[in-house]
Structure formats: C-alpha cells, structure tokens
Amino acid sequence: MSDDDVRVTALCGSLRDGSHTRTALERALAAAEGAGASTELLDLREYELPVFDADRDREDAGDAATLAARVRDADTVLLGSPMYHGSYSSPLKTALDYCGFDEFEDTTVGLLAVSGGAFPVTALEHMRSVCRALNAWVIPHEAAIPNAYDAFDGGEFVDPKLATRVETLGRRAVQYATIEPDPDSFESDQNVGAEGK
C-alpha cells in the first residue's frame, strides 16, 4: 500500500463549537494529507449516538452503524478528546462503545488529548487502555495539549513546538498505517466488547 492509498480518520470527542480538540485534529489531518493520505474528520456533533445499551443492536442505535463503518474503513484512526475529570470525554466513550474488534483490531491508532490545565496524561492513558483492549496498535508518539486556552490564537498554535508535535502525529499516522502488530495484547483476550451491538 502506498501513502496515497492510506486513509486517516479522526474521531473528535469534543462537542464544543470552538473546540481546541477539533482544531488540533484538523492540524494533524492536514499533516497526514501532506504526507499523501486521504483524510476525514468524524465530528460527533453530526451523529446521533444514544448512550450505549448492550441490549440494543447497533443498527437500531441512531447513527452508530454508520459511524462504525466509517471507522472500520480507516487505515489509521486518530482519537482526540478533551480531558474531563481526569479521563476522556463521554461522547468519545459512547462512540468507542459502539465499535469493536471489527473496527480496531490491528488498526493503527494515534492519540491526542487537550486540557484546560496540566498535561492530560490520564486521558491519554485511558484511551490507550481501550485501544489495547481492542487489539489496536497505538503509535508511540502522542500529542498532549495543556493549558489549551493559551495554546491557540485565532485557531493557530502559539507554540511552534506544540504545532510540530501535532503535525508529527499526523505524519506518523501515515507512516505506521500498515504496521502488522504482534502479538495480541493481554487486554484483547479479556474484552468481550460491543461487537454486533
């Protein structure tokens, strides 16, 4: 597969109109596109996703089946979220709950987290744990944006080093899109997930 055939899809876990998470993901996708990939931003504001209920089939849960199909079509998925109460956002959690091994197993995943205060380390760790449970391969490079209200000016990064970190995530999303992870993670053996729901 050439870089021109790589599809990078970003899932934005923020519903805010002026979301710094969305701005950062757009920058990462622009870098991925610059590296030759086709890109897509899945904005969860545009999807009807009821709170996950294991008794409800995915096809009967609003736009859940459509969203899962878009994720499944990606070679690399970028997960972006603001940090809420030390973890990632509930809209992203709901979206991930409607996905499973079909969408993530052996898929390359990049992580980006944003916080209004200190580094969003725990949000990144929690997203990484979910990806391990789904047997995805998470890019070692991740992007953390602390003090988000001061990190942007007019939709642009104030700190060029932070911009470079986010852009590097986008380029790595293309570089590692076809990696073949081995062996399976321990967590994947323990996860029954939401497959088919």
Side-chain angles (χ1 to χ4, degrees):
M1 176 187 294
S2 71
D3 290 348
D4 291 339
D5 298 324
V6 170
R7 182 171 187 79
V8 179
T9 297
L11 211 53
C12 181
S14 173
L15 303 184
R16 290 182 60 242
D17 286 340
S19 167
H20 298 308
T21 304
R22 191 176 305 107
T23 298
L25 284 174
E26 288 169 346
R27 186 71 167 259
L29 288 175
E33 194 169 315
S38 63
T39 63
E40 180 180 24
L41 176 67
L42 300 181
D43 189 337
L44 295 181
R45 295 177 302 174
E46 300 171 2
Y47 291 83
E48 178 197 343
L49 296 176
V51 173
F52 179 74
D53 178 352
D55 287 332
R56 178 190 292 145
D57 287 336
R58 186 161 59 189
E59 289 68 28
D60 297 325
D63 297 322
T66 300
L67 179 75
R70 304 282 277 276
V71 172
R72 192 166 46 251
D73 288 343
D75 298 299
T76 299
V77 178
L78 298 180
L79 300 180
S81 179
M83 184 168 76
Y84 293 152
H85 303 309
S87 190
Y88 61 98
S89 70
S90 59
L92 182 58
K93 174 71 168 123
T94 297
L96 293 174
D97 283 345
Y98 280 114
C99 294
F101 289 106
D102 286 346
E103 288 71 40
F104 281 98
E105 187 168 25
D106 296 335
T107 298
T108 300
V109 176
L111 303 179
L112 180 148
V114 175
S115 70
F119 277 86
V121 174
T122 51
L124 291 166
E125 289 174 348
H126 294 174
M127 287 190 286
R128 187 174 296 274
S129 292
V130 169
C131 292
R132 280 199 310 261
L134 293 171
N135 207 35
W137 186 82
V138 182
I139 299 169
H141 177 91
E142 56 192 17
I145 303 171
N147 305 309
Y149 297 104
D150 297 322
F152 298 92
D153 183 14
E156 295 295 325
F157 281 101
V158 173
D159 182 353
K161 291 180 180 177
L162 197 51
T164 298
R165 186 156 191 86
V166 170
E167 290 165 356
T168 298
L169 181 66
R171 288 191 297 273
R172 298 269 169 89
V174 180
Q175 180 182 0
Y176 294 115
T178 58
I179 196 165
E180 296 183 14
D182 184 56
D184 291 350
S185 72
F186 168 77
E187 289 93 336
S188 71
D189 292 336
Q190 312 302 311
N191 182 40
V192 294
E195 191 168 345
K197 294 294 179 183

